[in-house]
Amino acid sequence: SLTIFIGLTVTTVTYYLTCVVKKPLLITGSRSYADFLQRRCPVLVQQYYPTVWCFTSRVHTIVCAILSDLMTTFKKLPCYRRDVLPTPDGGEIHLDWLDHHGNGHHDNRTRPIVVILPGLSGHSGSGYVIRLAQGAHNKGYRSVVFNFRGTNGTKLKTSMFYCAADTTDTQHVVSYIRKLYPDAPLMAVGASLGGMILFNYVAKYGKDCGLVAAMVASMPWDAAKTTESLEEPVNWLLFNTSLVRGLRRDILLNREVFDKDSRVDVDHILKSSTVAEIDERMTIKLFGFKSVHHFYTAASACNKVHQVQIPLLCLNAADDVFAPFSSIPTEDIKNNPHIALVVTSHGGHIGFGDWLFPVRESFIDKLYQQYIHAVFQYGDEELLGKKKK
């Protein structure tokens, strides 16, 4: 038995070191953008060591999510400042600001800002969102979490919810922040569904999006292929059911509002067993899509790569079941000098855990902090070609 144990250990370690531990793949159509990233983001030229005891995709995703949220129960939430933003349709958006008043490099007027868009049912109290907010704070910047309507325990004022294809609220939030701090550089980062919304926003508004740069992490590129992957038996059991549970929670919290909307049948929605069923019974009706196929086509970033006109960094893991590597339009990305795609061999979905303990500073945390700092400090001159005054 000892011989077998030693043999299995050696085999596993050999596989881990030869097939799992790799430098991230960097894909971009711009040599200057690649040089900028490799010079200013050291994590991109180093080997990434996923958590050695849970490096397979599904396990890594689940372990990172559970431990990340578990850690938040033992820590105080960041000292957010709540800002309730009314919307033209009578609704409201809850923004949670993490202010920074520390160093003398920036004053309140010019301190750079990062807008954070969470994933499906995510919010300012989610573990990965807290790390993004604190990561910006650690670098001396101000961050603000854009909590989507009806999430984080907040009640809806109207039946307008949120979806990957709708950028109305994002445009409203960005415009509000730009008016509030007109002299502060503004970036945005989106995770998973938040990445889809951010990508669609950047693609829609181009150079007029109000952002100096953006980053998306673990973003599904093709909504139809993501749905197909998540409805495979194992993925349905491990992930789809959890996502549906989170959506049901938010829908139930706001049932009184939805019951007043004749377009939807709440009881029928609550019987959904997959995200696709909720999209069919609720999302397409609230947002005016003809079908789920119509909605997924509009929501998918893979159709809009050519429209991006600001520096956009995309991070995916090759083993992410939410974003199969085959769904990523790598050739289109190579033809757009504004986009850079970073792909790790492992990392799961919003995982990217540290080699020994998943909730220590992860690969995504390191890359995110290095990237926003690089853009805010050196982007004008090195990335955008502007001369120093």
Side-chain angles (χ1 to χ4, degrees):
S1 59
L2 179 60
T3 303
I4 294 174
F5 174 76
I6 293 174
L8 288 174
T9 301
V10 170
T11 301
T12 302
V13 171
T14 301
Y15 174 79
Y16 177 80
L17 292 176
T18 57
C19 300
V20 178
V21 177
K22 294 180 181 295
K23 287 184 180 179
L25 175 66
L26 177 60
I27 300 173
T28 179
S30 170
R31 183 67 260 172
S32 61
Y33 197 4
D35 290 343
F36 172 80
L37 290 170
Q38 291 173 330
R39 180 170 60 252
R40 297 300 180 183
C41 302
V43 71
L44 293 180
V45 295
Q46 300 166 355
Q47 289 185 316
Y48 166 50
Y49 289 77
T51 309
V52 66
W53 49 272
C54 63
F55 60 80
T56 58
S57 176
R58 297 181 181 90
V59 176
H60 192 79
T61 299
I62 294 170
V63 169
C64 286
I66 292 175
L67 290 183
S68 180
D69 286 339
L70 188 63
M71 291 295 290
T72 63
T73 63
F74 297 103
K75 293 182 179 180
K76 289 184 178 180
L77 284 175
C79 297
Y80 290 125
R81 171 172 58 86
R82 175 59 59 88
D83 187 1
V84 179
L85 175 63
T87 61
D89 67 318
E92 60 183 31
I93 299 167
H94 289 218
L95 304 175
D96 285 331
W97 293 85
L98 186 57
D99 294 310
H100 194 292
H101 307 289
N103 60 53
H105 295 295
H106 306 282
D107 58 26
N108 187 59
R109 180 179 58 85
T110 63
R111 187 175 303 281
I113 302 169
V114 181
V115 185
I116 301 169
L117 287 74
L120 187 66
S121 297
H123 50 77
S124 57
S126 301
Y128 67 94
V129 176
I130 291 174
R131 294 203 310 274
L132 292 173
Q134 291 180 328
H137 187 272
N138 293 342
K139 290 296 183 180
Y141 308 129
R142 177 188 286 118
S143 64
V144 54
V145 181
F146 168 15
N147 295 295
F148 302 131
R149 298 196 200 197
T151 62
N152 201 16
T154 59
K155 290 290 191 76
L156 289 170
K157 298 295 183 181
T158 73
S159 60
M160 184 56 67
F161 208 30
Y162 67 96
C163 80
D166 186 68
T167 60
T168 306
D169 283 354
T170 305
Q171 197 275 335
H172 189 54
V173 168
V174 171
S175 296
Y176 170 72
I177 296 172
R178 295 295 300 143
K179 291 177 182 177
L180 202 60
Y181 298 102
D183 298 316
L186 182 63
M187 286 184 65
V189 57
S192 192
L193 177 131
M196 296 176 75
I197 294 174
L198 178 56
F199 193 105
N200 284 324
Y201 170 75
V202 169
K204 180 177 180 178
Y205 290 96
K207 293 182 179 179
D208 298 322
C209 67
L211 306 173
V212 296
M215 176 178 175
V216 296
S218 294
M219 178 189 73
W221 288 83
D222 186 322
K225 290 184 178 179
T226 294
T227 298
E228 184 180 329
S229 175
L230 291 181
E231 291 188 352
E232 293 177 3
V234 175
N235 294 335
W236 175 84
L237 180 64
L238 294 177
F239 304 117
N240 221 320
T241 53
S242 176
L243 294 172
V244 170
R245 188 163 54 246
L247 285 170
R248 280 183 188 149
R249 178 194 63 222
D250 292 338
I251 293 167
L252 278 170
L253 180 66
N254 295 283
R255 174 159 193 164
E256 184 178 351
V257 174
F258 290 126
D259 277 336
K260 295 176 183 178
D261 194 323
S262 60
R263 295 174 296 176
V264 296
D265 180 345
V266 178
D267 288 328
H268 190 46
I269 294 168
L270 293 175
K271 292 177 182 177
S272 303
S273 60
T274 66
V275 174
E277 288 181 349
I278 291 180
D279 288 334
E280 183 175 12
R281 299 170 184 180
M282 178 180 181
T283 308
I284 65 171
K285 296 180 180 180
L286 291 179
F287 289 92
F289 292 103
K290 298 176 182 178
S291 63
V292 172
H293 174 73
H294 180 209
F295 167 44
Y296 286 172
T297 300
S300 297
C302 62
N303 304 315
K304 309 180 185 75
V305 171
H306 63 283
Q307 297 175 228
V308 174
Q309 297 181 56
I310 66 166
L312 175 61
L313 178 63
C314 310
L315 171 64
N316 286 94
D319 66 348
D320 185 355
V321 298
F322 287 72
F325 185 72
S326 61
S327 70
I328 303 177
T330 54
E331 291 304 314
D332 290 341
I333 290 172
K334 291 177 183 178
N335 291 325
N336 187 336
H338 301 292
I339 300 181
L341 170 67
V342 174
V343 182
T344 58
S345 65
H346 290 69
H349 188 70
I350 321 180
F352 302 98
D354 178 73
W355 77 278
L356 188 58
F357 196 51
V359 294
R360 286 202 312 192
E361 192 175 51
S362 67
F363 180 88
I364 186 175
D365 297 326
K366 294 174 184 176
L367 178 58
Y368 158 74
Q369 291 182 41
Q370 291 173 6
Y371 181 62
I372 62 171
H373 186 66
V375 171
F376 285 142
Q377 294 299 313
Y378 312 105
D380 276 354
E381 185 177 9
E382 298 183 13
L383 192 55
L384 303 179
K386 298 179 181 178
K387 294 182 179 180
K388 286 185 177 181
K389 295 182 179 179

